[in-house]
Amino acid sequence: DAGVIQSPRHEVTEMGQEVTLRCKPISGHNSLFWYRQTMMRGLELLIYFNNNVPIDDSGMPEDRFSAKMPNASFSTLKIQPSEPRDSAVYFCASSLAVGEQFFGPGTRLTVL
Amino acid sequence: DAKTTQPNSMESNEEEPVHLPCNHSTISGTDYIHWYRQLPSQGPEYVIHGLTSNVNNRMASLAIAEDRKSSTLILHRATLRDAAVYYCILVLNNAGNMLTFGGGTRLMVKP
């Protein structure tokens, strides 16, 4: 298995632009997670899905952030409009119902 | 949520054993102790987990105190590749749901 796949790996955009991050979880995993990592705040959970349904989105910073999981093999995290304070590394992870999470390589987002 | 406390950083010499401590004095009976690590410029990766008994796998060993209020991740022979941030996390019922990451311990390995 290729593991969790994220794209793009790097994204540089200007303030106000829409940004879409993509994630393909490991086949057969039924839980998917989006995390954000910054120097100031460390690793934070943004949202997680179980069987394609959002279970907890309390970590989503504000309405500018939205996440979807249209099917078991794909999820997106969208920021619209983006702001410089959104600059961070965004990780996607997947897991089975029990046990460990498997993380992707992350997307490094820079908003100018 | 039960929280964990870890030292901010530790140093080790290459080829020597490393003991990374974690305190979790408010742990509940259904909390599993998980360890993840994050190598530079990579996503976190699972290392090991346990409930009450000590555990061994190819990466490390986990020693859990009898009262479960603390645990220690043991790397038997540190290599330069083990330089990373190590996170100790409590997972309710070992369910594959939310992980709450603290600051972790930054392990530096000297050649």
Side-chain angles (χ1 to χ4, degrees), chain B residues 20-111:
Chain B
L20 297 164
C22 181
N23 288 323
H24 28 78
S25 57
T26 59
I27 191 170
S28 74
T30 51
D31 284 331
Y32 283 68
I33 302 159
H34 281 232
W35 284 81
Y36 283 75
R37 73 178 184 180
Q38 187 172 20
L39 302 171
S41 301
Q42 295 188 27
E45 64 175 346
Y46 166 82
V47 177
I48 199 168
H49 78 275
L51 181 62
T52 57
S53 303
N54 294 344
V55 184
N56 299 295
N57 67 19
R58 63 176 180 81
M59 290 180 72
S61 296
L62 177 60
I64 301 172
E66 195 169 334
D67 63 5
R68 300 209 327 126
K69 293 186 176 182
S70 66
S71 60
T72 302
L73 180 71
I74 302 166
L75 307 179
H76 295 286
R77 288 180 65 201
T79 69
L80 297 178
R81 194 189 174 279
D82 291 322
V85 179
Y86 287 78
Y87 298 96
C88 169
I89 303 169
L90 301 182
V91 179
L92 180 64
N93 293 322
N94 202 32
N97 54 17
M98 301 181 290
L99 296 178
T100 302
F101 287 84
T105 296
R106 181 173 297 278
L107 175 66
M108 293 166 279
V109 181
K110 297 182 291 185

Side-chain angles (χ1 to χ4, degrees), chain A residues 9 31 33 35 37 43 45 48 56 91 95-105 108, chain B residues 34 36 38 41-46 49 87 91 93-102:
Chain A
R9 293 295 308 277
S31 294
F33 310 82
Y35 293 86
Q37 186 171 35
L43 265 164
L45 177 71
Y48 91 91
D56 189 327
F91 291 104
S95 74
L96 296 170
V98 294
E100 67 265 34
Q101 292 184 16
F102 294 80
F103 285 75
R108 181 173 296 277
Chain B
H34 281 232
Y36 283 75
Q38 187 172 20
S41 301
Q42 295 188 27
E45 64 175 346
Y46 166 82
H49 78 275
Y87 298 96
V91 179
N93 293 322
N94 202 32
N97 54 17
M98 301 181 290
L99 296 178
T100 302
F101 287 84

